[in-house]
Amino acid sequence: MFSYTPAYESSPTLKKLCDWFQCEKSRIRIFRQQPGHVNPLHTDFDNRRGWAHGETLRVFVQLSDLGVDSWFKFRTDDSEINTSLSRGQFVILNTD
């Protein structure tokens, strides 16, 4: 039930970014976090849903340059990864 919103059509940059990933999409979300704020570690509601609806991949794309003070932290039951991304770099995360 995925459909593009007016934001997709109104921003050539976002449209190009979304279209670059040539795969079926179920949701695209743009998240902006202000400097100095932290998104608490959490588990998304569908991370452990299995393969009944297909594989879930999440793609995190850095849209601006924030320097070395901006970090992504990914934690599972047995590992933790911290990474800082420059503008245009991305992480593909298989949450299943």
Side-chain angles (χ1 to χ4, degrees):
M1 301 198 45
F2 176 80
S3 63
Y4 288 106
T5 65
Y8 173 81
E9 297 297 339
S10 66
S11 173
T13 301
L14 291 178
K15 184 174 196 249
K16 184 177 176 181
L17 174 66
C18 295
D19 292 346
W20 190 86
F21 292 95
Q22 297 177 11
C23 59
E24 184 179 336
K25 300 159 187 79
S26 60
R27 177 176 47 190
I28 297 172
R29 179 175 45 185
I30 300 170
F31 174 75
R32 180 178 182 202
Q33 186 156 321
Q34 297 295 329
H37 292 256
V38 174
N39 189 18
L41 286 174
H42 65 279
T43 299
D44 289 340
F45 72 94
D46 57 353
N47 272 19
R48 296 182 186 263
R49 68 185 178 135
W51 291 64
H53 302 286
E55 187 174 21
T56 300
L57 297 176
R58 298 193 190 281
V59 181
F60 297 85
V61 181
Q62 187 66 33
L63 298 178
S64 59
D65 283 317
L66 298 175
V68 296
D69 292 334
S70 174
W71 289 88
F72 286 94
K73 178 182 283 196
F74 302 101
R75 187 168 64 190
T76 66
D77 292 338
D78 62 357
S79 64
E80 183 174 299
I81 297 170
N82 298 291
T83 186
S84 181
L85 301 177
S86 297
R87 183 177 186 218
Q89 290 183 316
F90 58 90
V91 172
I92 300 175
L93 178 67
N94 181 339
T95 61
D96 292 329

